Amino acid sequence: MESAMPNSGPAEPTPSGDVEDQGDQPLTLDVLRQLVGNEWAGLPGETLVVLSRDTEGNLYSPFSTYAHGRYSPVYDLTGEVYPLESELAADAELRELFPKIPANARAALVLYPLG
């Protein structure tokens, strides 16, 4: 049996102007925290979070889960994600799968779509 999605109320909250327009800059956790705490605080709790497959907005998927890892760009803004140092230290199998991590890999919060 399929359940209907709850009505989430207004689609666009009134912007408070607290967060600078980030344009095409990568979103950091500091900015995300500010958005969640200020810009999006008035949105209903049932509001669905979705991810776009690409920058042009081709296809979308509901946000499903997240992980902590390290990101290294390969081509412009497309790259790979690698395990954290602590994960590598604790798991021999991961060390075999990832014998070399690029020096430019940086800590990242990785968001995964549902499908």
Side-chain angles (χ1 to χ4, degrees):
M1 176 194 326
E2 287 187 37
S3 61
M5 294 185 79
N7 183 352
S8 63
E12 297 184 28
T14 304
S16 67
D18 292 342
V19 177
E20 286 184 35
D21 180 15
Q22 293 296 309
D24 290 334
Q25 298 297 314
L27 183 74
T28 63
L29 189 53
D30 282 341
V31 173
L32 183 60
R33 285 179 178 143
Q34 190 172 2
L35 288 167
V36 169
N38 297 325
E39 296 290 317
W40 302 334
L43 293 174
E46 303 85 26
T47 301
L48 185 65
V49 177
V50 297
L51 304 172
S52 174
R53 182 182 77 176
D54 58 30
T55 58
E56 286 86 27
N58 295 308
L59 300 177
Y60 296 87
S61 182
F63 168 65
S64 174
T65 190
Y66 70 95
H68 297 147
R70 292 184 284 175
Y71 168 78
S72 176
V74 175
Y75 303 105
D76 196 24
L77 292 177
T78 303
E80 296 292 333
V81 173
Y82 300 92
L84 296 171
E85 292 174 7
S86 59
E87 293 172 313
L88 289 171
D91 190 329
E93 193 172 318
L94 270 181
R95 288 193 302 274
E96 279 187 37
L97 289 171
F98 298 95
K100 183 165 172 48
I101 307 293
N104 67 345
R106 57 184 283 197
L109 178 62
V110 183
L111 306 177
Y112 294 94
L114 188 57

